[in-house]
Amino acid sequence: MPLYRDFSDDNATILVWKYDESEELDINELLEPENAEKVKDYHPKKLQEVLMVRKLLKGLKPHAKILYKEREPFLSPKDAEISITHSFPFAAIAISKNKIGIDIEKFNPKILRVIDKFTYENERGFIPENNAPAFYTIIWSVKESMYKIHHSKYWSLKKNYEVKPFELKHLHKISCRVYDEQFSDEFKARVEFFDDYCFTIVEE
């Protein structure tokens, strides 16, 4: 299976695949029986994304499954940490010895309509008006990646996640954190661009 991008590092295998109509995605071969009910009402493109991730996994760990605890994916057998993301026509998987979160987002000016949902006004001072959609897409993607490390449906991307000021020419060590009144967990995010997409990696 031809890969689109390989962002692997010393700790993790991180692979991105772009959908190719010539590639066969057999649901009976790729989908875990445990997930049949979960995907039965998926849109065809979303189902393709799910199967793309499984095909990537087959190339890395032929006998492993991706199962879910609530909405959080985990490997079975659990001999490594996993994160997955997809935005058609792309799907990506990360397998690491440490907790890891990855996210892919398409750059879209419509993100400006929802910035109040994931940022405070005092977080926005460094963002240039003429390139605001790119900066907000990166912030959203970094926060989504951190969420996958600290998985909890009760936490708010606005209240519990922070992305420190950054520049587009320095995207491999963006300071960020997950926090509440009791603790602050600091990370460095790595952001890559391809096509019209932003791809973010946060590792413990």
Side-chain angles (χ1 to χ4, degrees):
M1 181 181 70
L3 289 173
Y4 188 76
R5 291 286 190 276
D6 184 340
F7 295 120
S8 303
D9 57 29
D10 291 343
N11 294 317
T13 301
I14 306 165
L15 305 177
V16 181
W17 181 27
K18 186 175 183 179
Y19 179 67
D20 180 344
E21 290 183 0
S22 66
E23 192 79 38
E24 185 179 356
L25 297 172
D26 184 342
I27 189 169
N28 296 311
E29 176 191 336
L30 296 172
L31 186 70
E32 306 86 354
E34 295 91 335
N35 292 323
E37 186 68 19
K38 178 181 174 67
V39 307
K40 68 181 177 65
D41 295 322
Y42 277 15
H43 184 280
K45 280 189 177 177
K46 186 172 183 181
L47 181 58
Q48 284 177 324
E49 294 169 346
V50 168
L51 297 178
M52 287 163 67
V53 168
R54 269 63 184 178
K55 192 139 189 177
L56 283 166
L57 179 64
K58 290 286 184 191
L60 298 170
K61 289 179 166 287
H63 304 294
K65 296 180 179 181
I66 298 174
L67 302 179
Y68 294 85
K69 182 179 180 181
E70 296 180 350
R71 293 183 300 166
E72 183 177 6
F74 66 91
L75 274 179
S76 176
K78 199 174 188 314
D79 56 358
E81 300 292 339
I82 189 173
S83 184
I84 59 178
T85 185
H86 34 71
S87 178
F88 195 84
F90 294 102
I93 189 170
I95 295 177
S96 176
K97 29 189 171 177
N98 303 317
K99 278 276 192 183
I100 188 167
I102 60 173
D103 183 68
I104 185 169
E105 300 290 340
K106 187 170 187 178
F107 291 109
N108 190 331
K110 290 181 180 178
I111 197 169
L112 298 180
R113 301 176 187 172
V114 297
I115 59 175
D116 286 332
K117 292 186 176 181
F118 65 95
T119 63
Y120 288 110
E121 192 171 341
N122 62 6
E123 292 181 275
R124 307 171 194 161
F126 72 98
I127 296 174
E129 192 173 329
N130 65 345
N131 207 5
F135 277 79
Y136 284 115
T137 302
I138 292 168
I139 290 169
W140 173 269
S141 190
V142 171
K143 289 189 176 187
E144 282 283 336
S145 295
M146 285 192 287
Y147 175 86
K148 291 176 180 180
I149 291 178
H150 284 275
H151 199 279
S152 169
K153 62 184 177 182
Y154 303 109
W155 282 25
S156 160
L157 292 186
K158 185 170 181 173
K159 295 178 182 177
N160 300 102
Y161 297 79
E162 180 184 14
V163 180
K164 303 290 178 63
F166 60 88
E167 299 177 11
L168 293 185
K169 60 183 178 182
H170 299 298
L171 290 175
H172 278 195
K173 289 188 177 180
I174 297 176
S175 295
C176 50
R177 67 176 182 141
V178 184
Y179 68 98
D180 64 13
E181 293 81 4
Q182 276 77 46
F183 90 109
S184 177
D185 207 353
E186 311 277 338
F187 299 99
K188 295 289 185 185
R190 171 182 161 200
V191 177
E192 306 281 356
F193 295 160
F194 50 81
D195 290 15
D196 293 322
Y197 288 80
C198 160
F199 184 69
T200 303
I201 303 159
V202 176
E203 299 181 71
E204 274 193 336

